[in-house]
Amino acid sequence: MARDEQLKERWAGVQKKLSDQFADGELMELDAIIYLIGVQELGKPHKRYKKDHKIDLMHIAICTLLEPYGYYEFDFYDDDGWPHFKIKEELPTLKAGEQTVLMKEAIVQYFMEKEYIS
């Protein structure tokens, strides 16, 4: 199976499974899935977050997702338990479509490593 087709299939699987589990089957978009990963990584899923913290949660997710690609490295947890990352390598300039593919690929890989999907 071609790499693009495999990614498409796996992404659809992740999207459906998460949508069924967290959105009553309403298809979750990329940003919502990134937000969920941030909440998962912070480890405080039952808390309500304000807008600023939601942006921070998405940042945590993006750093976590791109860490295996060598762009970020975990640095430390602050006094409130929030993880902080440092930039190892600047992200290349990507077109919007290329960014989306990179994030979908990273999300699929993340959920495979967590054994949420196979």
Side-chain angles (χ1 to χ4, degrees), residues 7-49:
L7 174 60
K8 215 179 218 179
E9 194 175 288
R10 286 179 172 162
W11 170 252
V14 166
Q15 195 175 28
K16 170 135 180 46
K17 191 169 181 177
L18 289 172
S19 297
D20 290 347
Q21 187 173 351
F22 294 103
D24 296 324
E26 187 177 325
L27 206 56
M28 293 177 69
E29 297 296 326
L30 181 64
D31 287 347
I33 293 171
I34 290 171
Y35 171 76
L36 272 181
I37 292 169
V39 171
Q40 171 71 26
E41 289 299 311
L42 181 61
K44 299 178 184 180
H46 302 294
K47 190 177 174 196
R48 281 220 176 280
Y49 295 99

Side-chain angles (χ1 to χ4, degrees), residues 12-107:
V14 166
Q15 195 175 28
K16 170 135 180 46
K17 191 169 181 177
L18 289 172
S19 297
D20 290 347
Q21 187 173 351
F22 294 103
D24 296 324
E26 187 177 325
L27 206 56
M28 293 177 69
E29 297 296 326
L30 181 64
D31 287 347
I33 293 171
I34 290 171
Y35 171 76
L36 272 181
I37 292 169
V39 171
Q40 171 71 26
E41 289 299 311
L42 181 61
K44 299 178 184 180
H46 302 294
K47 190 177 174 196
R48 281 220 176 280
Y49 295 99
K50 294 180 181 177
K51 186 178 180 180
D52 289 351
H53 282 142
K54 288 180 180 180
I55 293 167
D56 293 340
L57 287 165
M58 292 180 79
H59 178 72
I60 289 169
I62 290 167
C63 291
T64 300
L65 291 167
L66 296 180
E67 188 175 23
Y69 293 82
Y71 295 114
Y72 293 95
E73 179 178 65
F74 172 76
D75 197 13
F76 67 95
Y77 287 101
D78 66 20
D79 294 338
D80 294 323
W82 287 69
H84 291 262
F85 295 82
K86 58 185 173 186
I87 297 173
K88 282 181 66 178
E89 183 181 323
E90 289 293 326
L91 282 164
T93 303
L94 300 172
K95 295 176 186 165
E98 293 169 329
Q99 287 177 4
T100 301
V101 169
L102 175 62
M103 293 312 298
K104 286 180 178 180
E105 187 177 85
I107 288 168

